[in-house]
């Protein structure tokens, strides 16, 4: 399957219309284009109050006092809450380590940390009341990098740490450390004819989902609370929310409301607990909606990183060894940092065969903004560095950079640095071949015969900075490897409830999961799976809530694999139950009921020979079948904390990019002309959605290559650019044509052979653009994003 | 203060509007029209794009008092608006800007159903249908603003080049799609309009 632009229906996966393999359309599409889809910020309730968070204006300080008297006295204000108002002894929450305060107590550890809450009858009243709260801070020195974090006399970001990583880290300001040692890198280095070293810096990227953090908490009559919220994992939120409210989990009922994008930024709690606290205190429904400024403080970001790499190769181009140290800045609270360390270390070699490696990845505690999950999750930073190293090695050896990569590319059967064999297709060399074979876009597309250049296609675009003079073109390649699903022994299960009944004479299936639809299209795919497995056209997707078992997180490229797997598995059991009813009712009429392999197709029970035995509607009549089942992929195991050995990952996905850029060398402006991608998806359940995900992921990688960065002042640890005016994400003018080439090499271990797809395209997009800019300019460029001053040599230190 | 204006062809009045409230806030919180989205509230992302007397604007940057006596079209009214344009100017856009913008025309034009929200009863405009068909909707948060901007582009320019589309939609951020399918959608809507002529 090769597609560019809009794909048509490519493979027919099922005889029931709208099954897997078809580009069926989103069930929520009509609501979304008419403005009627209810996002979390659209929730409304009679007699509703508005919540507002007061956040710290300093990064690291003791709180001497908080004076709320003026705020409380304001007309229209219903409640002002501080740490002292928290209802129970549990004051902190966290994904893995419960180190994040609901409201700061005693100390603030980063700029923008929540300190107090207000509920009022108008959002502006709430904002003004929050501004009247007086906080007396005694500022402390800030920890902002590895040197300040690990200095012998460093102030501890978290005093008295007692989490399970503390025994394995060399300093309490290090969240987690994962070494990986395999073979003997020092010995292997002796075989190297060339050695290249590099130091790389990856900036702090923001998920910048468009729908702000928001939701509505409604107190219920039993003393509990109902929460309508945009999140990536309802049950993970529930586990963190209930204890700090002092409520049993069954008294916190959560329903997913419309999610305006996520990309990892909604894995952590933002306004959930705050809204519930205010609702329970006031006895009224409370809505919180962050504005964009607050959103930059309301969620964790992608870990900025320093990466130190050494690679060797023989003169015939075979990699000999790799040594690296990856330092990730996790900021003030742990969030997902331990898992990001696991990914960064275990994927630090990239999709290459290197037997002798010496790897170390750490995540710091600092007073910078907390960092956690974002699309690509630790693998992105490593890919940026190892791909730059591949280009350096190829250049030093005088080899073609793509041929050099192909020569060292992993394949099925390769042993990972963790000792885990790659036991499904790993078409790294083939992806590179496809990217390279694609015709290049024509030179100087901005030139129009006999007329002025179309400046819209030039670097700088409509700002009319160049008419083509000083513009040079470059081409760059990159490839990456990402794990799919949660790794390191995590019990990564999902649950699906499927009901089948006859409505209006037609068989109808209802699929109920707690999967967060964040835009990725899970709701589309679940209906396709149910149609394929149950042979019905009409499938209803029940809203996601906590009245059904956990679906796990919509992240790590796992949701189609794991919740899709759960839907498939439950449908198979429902199908068996339907057939059992059929055998009971009609078994005596036709021997095939007992002897043949039976399927449900096109609303009928058919034999594998195609003979129709009955209508499903006749079989079910007034009966219904409903099952709720958990489903697990094969288990993984933790990495050894000293050697990094272990079968830690479920599955891998691979993508390769070719970037073509044009650079105005005078002003340092970059125009990405084309960003072609090839990816193996195992099996495209919905080709249209697959291509959309790949293009979206590619664009986020482009963003961090040339513009996206949260800038934190190194002296004060304050965020300098929390707005869409100053934090730039690519517009349609910044984003080039993204032709997509999709491979479908089935993974026999996965449902339908599929491979998680959402993250892999974000990895190699960034280094491909960087490689192209280096190719155009001849500059070394070891940090991302590349800014004009890096290209013109005018950077001030 | 009280603000009187027309939304999606229907006269509206909003009471007790605080002077600092934006048009976006009034639409979302007072009119019950949440289709215009609140992604940045500083005019950078285009998610709240509406037409004010025919001109696309970020409704977050328009003070509510500024719309007194004027006409607003939101994504909720887009299908009716497109239908009206088709009826009043069959086969063409109306680059003059006179399309559905005069008070007189606005008074004659009634949205259906009466609350100005099209719902399942109303047909989709060509650009709305094209966004669904081309896979240009993912999380969908940027979609309302993009639809209003794209519809206005196609009204001005029935067969835009890719660069024209990029220029017209450069004020609308999308974080999910990579924009390729949004381009596909606008091309598709333009092609369908040409076919229909």
């Amino acid at each position: 399957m090769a597609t560019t632009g809009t794909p048509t229906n490519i493979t027919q996966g099922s005889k029931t219309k709208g099954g897997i393999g078809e580009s069926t359309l989103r069930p929520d599409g009509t609501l979304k284009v008419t403005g009627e889809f209810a996002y979390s910020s659209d929730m409304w309730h009679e007699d509703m109050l508005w919540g507002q968070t007061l956040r710290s204006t300093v990064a690291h300080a003791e709180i001497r006092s908080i004076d709320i008297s003026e705020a409380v006295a304001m007309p229209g204000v219903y409640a002002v809450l501080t740490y002292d108002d928290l209802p129970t002894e549990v004051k902190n929450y966290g994904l893995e380590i419960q180190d994040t305060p609901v409201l700061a107590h005693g100390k603030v550890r980063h700029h923008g940390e929540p300190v107090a809450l207000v509920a009022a009858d108008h959002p502006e009243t709430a904002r003004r009341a929050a501004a009247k709260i007086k906080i007396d801070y005694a500022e402390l020195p800030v920890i902002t990098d590895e040197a300040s974090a690990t200095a012998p006399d460093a102030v501890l970001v978290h005093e008295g740490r007692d989490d399970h990583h503390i025994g394995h880290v060399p300093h309490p300001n290090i969240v987690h450390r994962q070494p990986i040692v395999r073979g003997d890198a020092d010995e292997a280095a002796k075989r190297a004819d060339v050695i290249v070293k590099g130091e790389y810096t990856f900036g702090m990227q923001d998920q910048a989902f468009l729908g702000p953090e928001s939701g509505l908490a409604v107190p219920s009559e039993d003393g509990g609370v109902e929460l309508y919220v945009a999140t990536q994992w309802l049950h993970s939120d529930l586990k963190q929310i209930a204890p700090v409210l002092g409520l049993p989990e069954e008294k916190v009922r959560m329903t997913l409301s419309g999610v305006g994008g996520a990309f990892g930024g909604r894995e952590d709690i933002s306004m959930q607990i705050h809204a519930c606290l205010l609702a329970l205190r006031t006895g009224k429904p409370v809505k919180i909606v962050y504005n964009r400024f607050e959103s930059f403080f309301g969620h964790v970001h992608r870990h900025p990183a320093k990466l130190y790499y050494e690679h060797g190769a023989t003169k015939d181009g075979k990699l000999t060894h790799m040594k690296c140290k990856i330092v990730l800045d996790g900021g003030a609270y742990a969030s997902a940092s331990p898992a990001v360390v696991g990914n960064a270390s275990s994927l630090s070699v990239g999709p290459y065969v290197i037997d002798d490696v010496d790897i170390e990845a750490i995540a710091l505690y600092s007073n910078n903004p907390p960092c956690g999950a974002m699309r690509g999750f630790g693998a992105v930073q490593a890919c940026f560095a190892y791909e730059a190293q591949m280009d350096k090695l190829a250049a030093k050896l005088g080899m073609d950079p793509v041929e050099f990569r192909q020569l060292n590319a992993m394949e099925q059967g390769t042993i990972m640095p963790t000792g885990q064999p790659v036991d499904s297709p790993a078409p790294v060399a083939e992806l590179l071949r496809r990217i390279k074979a694609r015709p290049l876009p024509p030179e100087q597309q901005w030139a129009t015969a006999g007329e002025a250049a179309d400046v819209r296609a030039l670097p700088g675009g409509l700002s009319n900075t160049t008419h083509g003079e000083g513009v040079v073109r470059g081409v760059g390649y990159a490839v990456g490897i990402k794990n799919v699903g949660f790794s390191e022994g995590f019990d990564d299960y999902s649950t699906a409830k499927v009901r089948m009944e006859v409505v209006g004479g037609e068989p109808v299936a209802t699929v109920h999961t707690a999967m967060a639809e964040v835009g990725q299209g899970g709701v589309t795919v679940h209906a396709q799976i149910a149609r394929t497995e149950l042979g019905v056209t009409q499938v209803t997707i029940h809203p996601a809530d906590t009245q059904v078992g956990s679906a796990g997180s919509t992240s790590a490229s796992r949701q189609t694999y794991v919740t899709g797997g759960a839907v498939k598995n439950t449908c198979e059991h429902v199908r068996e139950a339907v057939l059992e009813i059929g055998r009971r009712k009609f078994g005596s009429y036709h021997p095939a009921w007992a002897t043949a392999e039976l399927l449900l197709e096109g609303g009928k029970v058919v034999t594998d020979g195609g003979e129709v035995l009955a209508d499903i509607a006749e079989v079910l009549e007034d009966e219904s079948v409903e099952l709720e089942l958990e489903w697990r992929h094969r288990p993984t195991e933790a990495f050894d904390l000293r050697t990094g050995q272990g079968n830690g990952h479920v599955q891998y996905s691979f993508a390769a990019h070719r970037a073509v850029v044009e650079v105005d060398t005078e002003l340092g402006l970059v125009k990405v002309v084309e960003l072609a991608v090839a990816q193996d998806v195992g099996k495209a359940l919905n080709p249209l959605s697959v291509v959309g995900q790949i293009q979206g992921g590619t664009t986020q990688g482009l963003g961090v290559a040339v513009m996206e960065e949260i800038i934190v002042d190194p002296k004060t640890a304050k965020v300098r650019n929390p707005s869409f005016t100053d934090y730039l994400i690519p517009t349609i003018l910044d984003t080039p044509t993204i032709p997509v080439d999709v491979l479908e090499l089935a993974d026999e271990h996965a449902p339908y052979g599929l491979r998680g797809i959402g993250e892999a395209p974000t990895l190699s997009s960034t280094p491909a653009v960087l490689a192209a800019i280096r190719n155009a300019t001849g500059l070394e460029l070891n940090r991302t994003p590349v800014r004009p001053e890096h290209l013109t040599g005018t950077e001030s230190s | 203060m009280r603000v009187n204006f027309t939304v999606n062809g229907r006269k509206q009045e909003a009471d007790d509007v605080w002077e600092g409230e934006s048009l976006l806030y009034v639409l979302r919180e007072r009119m019950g029209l949440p289709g215009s989205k609140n992604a940045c509230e500083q005019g950078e992302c285009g998610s709240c794009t509406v037409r004010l007397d025919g001109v696309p604007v970020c409704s977050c940057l328009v003070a509510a008092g500024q719309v007194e006596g004027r006409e607003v079209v939101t994504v909720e009214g887009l299908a009716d608006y497109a239908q009206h344009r088709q009826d009043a100017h069959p086969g063409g856009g109306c680059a003059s800007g006179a399309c559905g913008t005069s008070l007189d025309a606005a008074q004659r034009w009634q949205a259906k159903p009466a609350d100005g929200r099209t719902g399942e009863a109303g047909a989709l405009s060509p650009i709305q249908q094209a966004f669904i068909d081309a896979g240009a909707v993912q999380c969908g948060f940027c979609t309302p603003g993009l639809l209003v901007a794209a519809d206005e582009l196609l009204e001005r320019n029935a067969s835009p080049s890719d660069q024209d589309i990029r220029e017209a939609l450069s004020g609308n951020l999308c974080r999910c799609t990579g924009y390729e399918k949004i381009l596909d959608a606008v091309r598709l809507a333009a092609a369908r309009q040409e076919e229909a002529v």
Side-chain angles (χ1 to χ4, degrees), chain B residues 12-194:
Chain B
Q12 297 280 5
E13 55 180 49
D15 279 325
D16 299 325
V17 174
W18 168 68
E19 287 76 1
E21 278 177 21
S22 64
L23 171 59
L24 176 63
Y25 184 87
V26 170
L27 289 170
R28 289 175 55 79
E29 306 298 339
R30 296 189 183 277
M31 304 279 101
L33 294 170
S36 307
K37 294 300 168 206
N38 53 328
C40 79
E41 296 178 63
Q42 56 180 191
E44 294 288 351
C45 74
S47 304
C48 65
T49 303
V50 300
R51 294 181 73 170
L52 179 60
D53 288 349
V55 179
V57 296
C58 290
S59 60
C60 68
L61 294 185
V62 177
Q66 286 179 283
V67 301
E68 178 67 33
R70 298 171 78 180
E71 190 201 341
V72 173
V73 177
T74 73
V75 70
E76 286 97 339
L78 201 58
D80 287 336
Y81 188 80
Q83 186 61 48
H84 160 79
R85 179 172 57 214
Q86 184 60 30
D87 294 345
H89 310 271
C94 71
S96 67
C99 172
T101 58
S102 74
L103 190 58
D104 184 45
Q107 282 168 344
R108 276 186 281 110
W109 169 49
Q110 287 293 314
K112 298 169 283 290
D115 67 353
R117 301 181 64 172
T118 52
E120 53 279 347
L124 299 178
S125 70
I127 191 67
Q128 287 172 317
Q129 191 62 52
F131 262 61
I132 296 175
D133 294 345
V137 180
Q138 288 189 18
C139 94
F141 207 81
C142 66
T143 304
L146 275 162
L147 287 169
V148 172
D151 185 65
E152 193 271 343
L153 165 69
L154 292 173
E155 185 180 293
R156 276 189 287 121
N157 181 351
S159 45
S161 69
D162 283 3
Q163 288 296 355
D164 294 337
I165 300 170
R166 289 182 191 277
E167 186 179 343
L169 301 185
S170 61
N172 292 76
L173 296 175
C174 168
R175 189 57 157 170
C176 293
T177 64
Y179 301 107
E180 192 87 338
K181 302 221 167 291
I182 292 170
L183 279 161
D184 285 347
V186 180
R187 293 183 198 118
L188 181 62
R192 283 176 178 169
Q193 275 182 345
E194 269 176 33

